[in-house]
Amino acid sequence: MFSFISRRVLAGLATLLVSTFAMFLLVSAAIRPYIFMDLEASTSPNKQQLIDQRTLDLDLDTNVVIRYFKWLGDFVTGDLGTAWRSGQSVSNLLQGAVISTIQLVAAATVLAVIFGVMVGIVSALRQYSTFDYLTIFVSFVLYSLPAFWVAVLLKQWGAIGFNDFLRDPNLSILAIAVAGVAIGLLWSLAFGGTLRRRLAVFGLGFAATAVALLYLQLSGWWEEPNLGPVIIAVTGAALAFAITALVSGLKNRRALYASLTTVVVGVVVYFPIQSVLRQVDNWLLVLVLAVVTVAVGIGIGYAWGGPDKGVSARAAAITAFLVGSMIFVDRVMQFWPAYLAAPAINNRPIPTIGNSTPNLGGNFWVQVLDQYTHLLLPTIALVLIQFAGYTRYSRASMLEVMSQDYIRTARAKGLPERTVVMRHGFRNTLIPLATIVPIDVITLLGGAIITEKVFARPGMGLLFLNSLTGGEIDPVMAYLVIVAALAIIANIVADLIYAALDPRIRVNA
């Protein structure tokens, strides 16, 4: 393992050195017109003196190769340079941009992978069904949509339209019925089976959707949104059954009881934990509480035991994390009325630009809520586009895996279909995705340039674009080095994931 990583790191450093040299030459040539653009358009009588002075200040008369090695020497010693137009250090610019981009990328990638892989696998298992054709159609439509167009539509309907709706949040019976029919039809197509089974699933989906929307309407949820112990209990119980079905199957009663016990514990501590959450004023404490929550879930799983204690612990830990996340979201939502009434928000809580509201004020929870509202639209934009790709990849991979001989052998041995799909099919479906997901993550860490530009989110992509058009080589080169280094790391991580997913692969071979 150590030998493999050492070789890959050395090869990566050599690649990084060559790529930075090539990029420095190309960027130097590309940004030169932008450096003097303002002076060339100037009518000042000493224009030539100003041009000569800027040339001297930026050392542009020195050979580009020599300038590269000067830059490289400064870079490896920790001096990333300065953005000469603003006078800010590149380190400070990168710090804010990296945090903004990571916030966006983390949420978008996790959601896109989860929903994309899940829908793709279901589509493959329902090959040539109506759900399969619908999934293919929607995936191709989303994949072909321009990112800027999706972002603009989200601004119009997700921000302006929703903010207008909040002035008088009333859903008509017709709207509730249409939503119920759409959701019920989608679930019936996903589950498939006989006509009787489809009608039953459709009825349950329709009823659940209609009841949920009616509850939101009649309880005044739009003015004071919350989850509360009742919703957490009902949703947690549903998640416990779903997670147990995926992890071990519902026949493993110990795993199911461990997950349900975790939900009960979460509901019981809902009110006492509020006093603890009032003391939280930074993300480090949130992380500590998350670790404690997962540890409690693992402990409950081992306490229930069963034929495989690890399976029970895994199911309970996942359930504990999700229940804890709902309690955290509920705490954030408790500050919605105060957030909505703030003068800086002016009863229009869904913003269209930036990553925070100027002059908002408030405690930690208000600031978290403000960050979430600013993340909402750009995250949805990225999720829609990424979702299409992951759906297509996972569907194609699952179809290929399910046609293999070892799948037929597993079925011939009499293994349950859930075991065949989840343990033998799903695991091997993830192998091709192990290449795609790390590279996509690194690509997005480089900045979703179009999305960040439309939403004016000060991330890595917008920093690169502004620096390039501003003729500032130091921020551009720092950006390129970070992206190139992360791309090399992503390839190493992909190889390690291969080895974890496929026992036939050995990184020390």
Side-chain angles (χ1 to χ4, degrees):
M1 175 73 75
F2 178 77
S3 176
F4 166 79
I5 295 177
S6 300
R7 292 197 307 269
R8 292 300 302 271
V9 168
L10 291 176
L13 290 175
T15 303
L16 191 61
L17 181 64
V18 174
S19 63
T20 54
F21 178 71
M23 286 298 103
F24 193 91
L25 299 182
L26 294 173
V27 171
S28 297
I31 68 172
R32 195 175 185 89
Y34 296 105
I35 295 176
F36 301 104
M37 184 177 293
D38 57 332
L39 297 180
E40 294 290 349
S42 174
T43 58
S44 175
N46 62 336
K47 180 171 72 174
Q48 188 57 46
Q49 288 181 324
L50 295 174
I51 293 176
D52 293 340
Q53 183 61 45
R54 184 169 293 180
T55 302
L56 180 64
D57 292 341
L58 300 181
D59 199 21
L60 297 179
D61 282 337
T62 304
N63 184 274
V64 65
V65 177
I66 297 176
R67 281 194 289 123
Y68 166 75
F69 283 105
K70 286 183 178 179
W71 168 85
L72 182 63
D74 292 337
F75 192 91
V76 296
T77 56
D79 182 8
L80 305 186
T82 304
W84 59 269
R85 288 191 184 274
S86 63
Q88 291 183 275
S89 68
V90 175
S91 300
N92 292 336
L93 291 174
L94 285 176
Q95 184 177 6
V98 168
I99 293 174
S100 179
T101 296
I102 288 177
Q103 289 175 340
L104 177 60
V105 169
T109 302
V110 170
L111 292 175
V113 170
I114 291 175
F115 289 109
V117 172
M118 180 176 65
V119 172
I121 289 176
V122 174
S123 178
L125 297 176
R126 301 282 182 269
Q127 188 181 17
Y128 302 133
S129 66
T130 304
F131 181 82
D132 185 33
Y133 288 127
L134 181 63
T135 301
I136 294 172
F137 173 76
V138 172
S139 298
F140 274 106
V141 169
L142 292 176
Y143 196 77
S144 60
L145 290 179
F148 68 88
W149 189 71
V150 174
V152 170
L153 287 182
L154 286 172
K155 275 189 170 186
Q156 177 62 41
W157 302 108
I160 299 174
F162 186 74
N163 287 334
D164 292 340
F165 166 76
L166 288 179
R167 293 179 179 177
D168 185 22
N170 289 312
L171 291 173
S172 65
I173 297 298
L174 178 61
I176 294 175
V178 170
V181 170
I183 299 298
L185 184 61
L186 182 63
W187 279 110
S188 66
L189 293 176
F191 275 85
T194 62
L195 178 61
R196 181 178 179 180
R197 181 184 180 186
R198 293 190 181 195
L199 290 175
V201 172
F202 172 82
L204 288 174
F206 176 84
T209 304
V211 169
L213 292 177
L214 284 173
Y215 170 80
L216 298 182
Q217 182 69 35
L218 299 176
S219 64
W221 191 89
W222 300 108
E223 289 85 0
E224 296 185 16
N226 62 86
L227 295 180
V230 175
I231 295 179
I232 292 175
V234 174
T235 307
L239 289 172
F241 277 95
I243 291 167
T244 305
L246 292 175
V247 172
S248 63
L250 294 177
K251 292 183 179 180
N252 189 334
R253 295 299 183 184
R254 294 298 183 96
L256 177 60
Y257 295 155
S259 298
L260 291 174
T261 302
T262 304
V263 176
V264 172
V265 171
V267 174
V268 168
V269 303
Y270 172 81
F271 290 104
I273 201 67
Q274 299 299 318
S275 60
V276 177
L277 294 176
R278 291 191 191 98
Q279 311 302 321
V280 174
D281 58 359
N282 59 71
W283 283 104
L284 180 60
L285 293 177
V286 175
L287 179 61
V288 171
L289 290 175
V291 173
V292 172
T293 301
V294 174
V296 170
I298 294 174
I300 292 173
Y302 275 107
W304 272 102
D308 189 343
K309 293 183 179 181
V311 173
S312 300
R314 191 182 311 132
I318 297 174
T319 305
F321 177 79
L322 295 177
V323 172
S325 299
M326 287 192 288
I327 295 175
F328 175 81
V329 171
D330 177 78
R331 179 63 183 174
V332 175
M333 293 168 70
Q334 291 176 19
F335 289 85
W336 180 264
Y339 178 73
L340 198 63
I345 301 302
N346 193 27
N347 292 314
R348 300 190 69 82
I350 307 300
T352 57
I353 59 173
N355 62 350
S356 62
T357 302
N359 305 317
L360 174 62
N363 60 14
F364 168 78
W365 297 101
V366 173
Q367 295 299 322
V368 170
L369 181 57
D370 186 53
Q371 292 177 8
Y372 282 0
T373 56
H374 281 83
L375 276 172
L376 184 62
L377 296 185
T379 298
I380 293 175
L382 290 180
V383 166
L384 288 176
I385 297 172
Q386 286 186 285
F387 166 83
Y390 291 137
T391 299
R392 294 170 60 206
Y393 287 129
S394 59
R395 178 184 179 275
S397 180
M398 191 67 174
L399 286 175
E400 181 179 359
V401 168
M402 295 304 289
S403 64
Q404 298 297 315
D405 291 339
Y406 61 84
I407 296 294
R408 285 192 289 270
T409 302
R411 284 175 172 155
K413 290 166 62 179
L415 292 178
E417 186 65 16
R418 189 207 65 82
T419 303
V420 173
V421 172
M422 295 303 300
R423 185 167 297 180
H424 297 280
F426 178 68
R427 182 187 181 97
N428 290 286
T429 298
L430 295 178
I431 294 177
L433 293 174
T435 301
I436 300 165
V437 174
I439 299 300
D440 281 355
V441 171
I442 298 311
T443 301
L444 286 177
L445 282 175
I449 296 179
I450 297 176
T451 303
E452 290 181 356
K453 180 67 175 178
V454 174
F455 290 104
R457 188 170 180 84
M460 292 286 287
L462 196 60
L463 173 64
F464 168 75
L465 190 63
N466 291 339
S467 300
L468 191 63
T469 56
E472 299 174 316
I473 193 169
D474 286 337
V476 173
M477 286 305 301
Y479 166 88
L480 293 174
V481 170
I482 291 174
V483 173
L486 291 176
I488 293 170
I489 294 173
N491 280 280
I492 298 175
V493 170
D495 289 337
L496 297 177
I497 294 176
Y498 281 152
L501 292 175
D502 191 343
R504 297 171 299 177
I505 298 176
R506 292 289 181 268
V507 295
N508 59 352

